[in-house]
Amino acid sequence: MCGIAALATTGETKKQTVRILLEALRSLEYRGYDSAGLAVYDEDEGRIKVWKRKGKVETLVRLLRGVRISAPIGIAHTRWATHGVPNEVNAHPHLDCRGEIAVVHNGIISNYLELKKELIEKGHVFKSETDTEVFAHLFEEEMKSKEPFEAFKSAISKLEGYYAIVAITSKDPERVFFARKESPLIVGKGSDLNMVSSDIASLLRYCSKVAPIEDGEVGWLTWREIYVEKNGERVAVGERFFRPPWTPEQATKGNFPHFMLKEIHEQGTAVKETLMSISTDPRVKEVLELLEGRVVVVAAGTSLHAGMVFSYALGKLLGKDVILLDSSEAYHLEKLLKDTVIAISQSGETYDTLKAVRIAKRNGAKVIGVVNVLGSTLDREADISLYTRAGPEIGVAATKTFLSQVTLLLYLVSRMSGVELKDPHLLVESSIRKSIGYARSLAERLKEKQSMFVLGTGASLPIAYEGALKIKEISYVHAEGYPAGEAKHGPIALAEEGFPVLIAWTPEDEEKLQVAKEEFASRGSEVYWVGPRGDIVAPESDWLHLPFTITPPFQLLAYYMAVLKGYDPDKPRNLAKSVTVH
Ligand code: G6P
């Protein structure tokens, strides 16, 4: 994970370099927040200056308050620790021995120990435990005999693993060097600056056009030029540039206290826009033909739950069996990854999902990507991309992107089955209105609990899994989604006085849920019902539309549990929104 951002600029904007990089970091913080750091070339002093702090970007913002610097180039980083504990020494940017090179990196350099040993033998002195610092010294070593870009490329060629790396050197204070292998990297063009970053959202405010950098590409940018090459040949990236479909305002909190609450409330619009876009998408025709054959779905986290909704609906309406694979496990079953593979991913950058996609492509499969971020790796590697139109999702816990994925996938089901999706956005909006007060009061009662079950059956089971995931992710209360009937085969051993059980309603088999309720209640459990006439009230609906009515109450419950416990729901501990490592 980790988020990286860099820029090259000119004129008066040089005085804004630090501020612009901090703004980019704020927007990239969903990628990790173990530490944050920034390095710029201070043109008055003629040297690189670095600031880093353990913890969130705000600590770095405080550290830099009052700092006035004119800097033509700068790099910044927000970290999700892989190698080395999250402290200030291990925070990026990392420097070479002389402080003339600064590097930020997202990914893993797998041969860093061998490289480090060689570099130590040559006299380099290391300060951190990170794999990244190796690159600063490697670059330094190469600079002894080469001009900066040649040295950068040569250093890159020695790396194994995967990375997005950005570096600056005081020996070349107009250029920012970058390279990509598997970890995301996007370049952006602005009026008097150019930028490079891990995602599009962080570029929105300053860049009118963006373009993804592809695997194996290396390059540099100055304020007026972006140069890219691959295997020693110049790559013309001009045609790759596009106008981002999002506005900078979409990536702000507006009047909401947290992104998560804003994004929950944006779900009606996200669902509506996704439905409008997919129902006029010409690629759907080909997708529907592909779906007539054997279908495998790969996805992770919340996206996997959207895949469950899809596979349940296809099974129920058409008797069609879809193989659903958790993408982190899919590679074990590589022979299954053939024919038509649907990869669902909000970010389009989840490492495990991309790994499954690459195996599928090697096996000759047709890959359909269901993705929210245009220009992401999945978008580019899939044979056909279908887009959810949720806008940028900043809260780490996925909310609006889940219901957008569900909308898109159920639209495909509706086209295949002839069963119509009816105004799902209105159901979402009514669900939020109806359930918000109840969710908040139940959160008061549940916030101090240690553990709970969320039971569902049929169409409500994927929502029970998703509801439990939301609760775990942001309130740190152990919550386990479980099939209601299966709960008596083991889990019920946990039932005791005060043990909470939430039940996700479905119209398909209320009786089964009632039985589960009695089984737990008779053993002292506190049982809470989520649905029409429930402890959290949600609108009535048929099973097909159930995700739109009972998902928001669980999201709101999780949100209020986190907030009432004093946690930041937008940045849950240990998590990152986009998991680009395996
Ligand atoms: C991370 C996030 C989850 C997300 C999952 C898959 O674990 O914390 O919220 O559902 O990745 O992400 P994707 O971008 O592939 O949908």
Side-chain angles (χ1 to χ4, degrees):
M1 276 82 72
C2 301
I4 59 182
L7 67 79
T9 188
T10 188
E12 280 302 293
T13 316
K14 285 190 277 192
K15 296 192 182 123
Q16 305 298 325
T17 297
V18 167
R19 189 180 58 74
I20 296 171
L21 287 174
L22 287 174
E23 256 181 57
L25 278 191
R26 277 200 181 104
S27 144
L28 287 166
E29 203 170 15
Y30 69 87
R31 302 178 66 85
Y33 25 84
D34 288 332
S35 62
L38 188 145
V40 298
Y41 176 78
D42 179 337
E43 63 178 0
D44 296 324
E45 294 189 18
R47 67 185 180 96
I48 287 178
K49 284 190 171 163
V50 183
W51 297 265
K52 1 177 159 179
R53 273 286 182 263
K54 179 173 185 284
K56 296 185 179 166
V57 172
E58 261 339 284
T59 62
L60 185 68
V61 172
R62 280 199 291 278
L63 180 70
L64 281 156
R65 204 160 279 155
V67 170
R68 301 273 171 269
I69 282 183
S70 177
I73 49 172
I75 59 176
H77 187 270
T78 178
R79 177 166 188 244
W80 189 84
T82 55
H83 291 75
V85 293
N87 60 22
E88 211 161 294
V89 176
N90 289 334
H92 300 214
H94 290 287
L95 301 181
D96 66 329
C97 297
R98 300 182 200 172
E100 291 176 349
I101 290 169
V103 175
V104 290
H105 162 226
N106 167 31
I108 289 175
I109 300 172
S110 51
N111 62 337
Y112 84 105
L113 286 174
E114 295 130 70
L115 293 170
K116 188 168 180 174
K117 192 161 160 272
E118 284 168 25
L119 288 159
I120 289 173
E121 278 161 13
K122 288 182 178 153
H124 290 263
V125 180
F126 282 77
K127 297 193 186 69
S128 76
E129 303 156 26
T130 63
D131 51 342
T132 306
E133 193 185 350
V134 162
F135 188 78
H137 294 279
L138 206 54
F139 191 7
E140 177 186 17
E141 192 59 32
E142 295 292 332
M143 288 255 282
K144 287 180 183 162
S145 56
K146 297 181 182 78
E147 68 88 23
F149 187 47
E150 289 305 315
F152 180 77
K153 284 194 289 183
S154 178
I156 287 287
S157 70
K158 298 196 163 56
L159 303 182
E160 285 166 20
Y162 51 97
Y163 45 77
I165 287 186
V166 176
I168 53 172
T169 167
S170 53
K171 299 255 178 74
D172 195 341
E174 286 197 358
R175 285 198 285 181
V176 171
F177 302 96
F178 56 83
R180 172 200 164 141
K181 186 176 164 207
E182 295 183 30
S183 300
L185 204 57
I186 315 282
V187 286
K189 282 185 188 171
S191 59
D192 53 2
L193 56 66
N194 284 320
M195 292 183 78
V196 57
S197 156
S198 302
D199 78 3
I200 296 175
S202 59
L203 299 175
L204 291 174
R205 194 161 293 278
Y206 296 97
C207 301
S208 52
K209 285 190 173 169
V210 298
I213 293 302
E214 298 197 341
D215 268 355
E217 292 182 341
V218 287
W220 50 260
L221 55 84
T222 62
W223 73 270
R224 72 166 101 217
E225 193 183 353
I226 298 177
Y227 174 86
V228 179
E229 63 174 59
K230 186 171 186 173
N231 303 327
E233 301 280 315
R234 183 172 191 155
V235 180
V237 281
E239 283 184 7
R240 249 187 245 167
F241 278 89
F242 63 93
R243 270 182 203 288
W246 302 336
T247 63
E249 289 65 39
Q250 281 180 297
T252 65
K253 274 191 254 187
N255 292 327
F256 287 89
H258 298 104
F259 279 108
M260 184 178 177
L261 191 61
K262 175 177 178 244
E263 288 160 3
I264 290 173
H265 280 87
E266 282 171 349
Q267 290 185 112
T269 310
V271 162
K272 191 173 176 185
E273 297 211 338
T274 299
L275 192 56
M276 262 160 48
S277 146
I278 190 70
S279 49
T280 52
D281 190 332
R283 287 163 294 199
V284 166
K285 189 167 170 282
E286 193 187 342
V287 169
L288 291 174
E289 280 161 20
L290 288 168
L291 292 182
E292 279 169 18
R294 183 176 166 282
V295 178
V296 182
V297 173
V298 289
T302 292
S303 299
L304 182 65
H305 298 148
M308 285 180 192
V309 172
F310 179 62
S311 107
Y312 181 78
L314 277 183
K316 185 150 173 137
L317 285 171
L318 294 169
K320 184 174 177 64
D321 53 338
V322 167
I323 300 171
L324 182 66
L325 296 176
D326 160 347
S327 53
S328 71
E329 290 291 311
Y331 70 102
H332 290 303
L333 296 170
E334 47 177 281
K335 292 200 173 71
L336 283 180
L337 294 168
K338 55 181 187 178
D339 303 325
T340 297
V341 172
I342 304 187
I344 311 168
S345 175
Q346 183 284 127
S347 61
E349 302 294 350
T350 299
Y351 180 89
D352 292 326
T353 305
L354 292 174
K355 184 172 172 178
V357 162
R358 288 166 187 157
I359 296 171
K361 289 193 81 169
R362 269 205 311 277
N363 291 348
K366 272 272 187 195
V367 174
I368 301 166
V370 173
V371 60
N372 194 49
V373 180
L374 267 73
S376 61
T377 308
L378 176 59
D379 182 17
R380 283 174 296 115
E381 294 194 8
D383 295 296
I384 306 174
S385 292
L386 299 178
Y387 302 117
T388 49
R389 301 291 179 180
E393 187 176 68
I394 315 285
V396 165
T399 52
K400 62 177 178 172
T401 54
F402 173 68
L403 283 185
S404 304
Q405 291 166 339
V406 166
T407 304
L408 187 154
L409 294 163
L410 288 183
Y411 172 78
L412 298 178
V413 174
S414 79
R415 288 286 303 271
M416 291 166 81
S417 64
V419 178
E420 210 192 329
L421 265 190
K422 289 191 210 86
D423 294 331
H425 68 286
L426 296 180
L427 290 174
V428 176
E429 280 159 8
S430 143
S431 167
I432 295 170
R433 267 196 316 274
K434 278 206 158 96
S435 65
I436 192 162
Y438 295 98
R440 202 191 155 101
S441 0
L442 192 57
E444 281 286 358
R445 299 184 63 170
L446 294 180
K447 67 178 200 282
E448 300 309 337
K449 301 286 185 185
Q450 301 282 311
S451 179
M452 63 181 73
F453 286 128
V454 185
L455 305 182
T457 191
S460 78
L461 185 55
I463 312 306
Y465 289 134
E466 176 57 12
L469 180 64
K470 286 295 89 97
I471 293 169
K472 272 194 283 255
E473 277 179 309
I474 59 168
S475 77
Y476 316 144
V477 172
H478 173 248
E480 201 177 339
Y482 229 85
E486 181 64 15
K488 57 186 173 294
H489 302 292
I492 201 164
L494 296 182
E496 60 179 357
E497 209 56 49
F499 182 86
V501 175
L502 296 168
I503 295 191
W505 175 83
T506 168
E508 300 158 281
D509 191 354
E510 269 198 68
E511 200 187 320
K512 182 176 199 164
L513 296 173
Q514 280 295 349
V515 171
K517 176 184 169 176
E518 292 311 323
E519 285 165 355
F520 275 91
S522 62
R523 290 165 175 86
S525 284
E526 292 172 12
V527 183
Y528 302 102
W529 206 258
V530 179
R533 304 168 295 283
D535 299 279
I536 303 185
V537 177
E540 196 88 46
S541 76
D542 59 11
W543 69 266
L544 187 68
H545 293 81
L546 201 63
F548 305 109
T549 59
I550 63 164
T551 305
F554 283 107
Q555 296 167 336
L556 288 163
L557 176 65
Y559 171 78
Y560 284 118
M561 282 171 70
V563 171
L564 292 170
K565 291 176 84 172
Y567 301 137
D568 180 350
D570 290 339
K571 299 186 190 84
R573 68 187 182 204
N574 308 336
L575 300 182
K577 187 159 187 67
S578 176
V579 182
T580 53
V581 292
H582 56 92

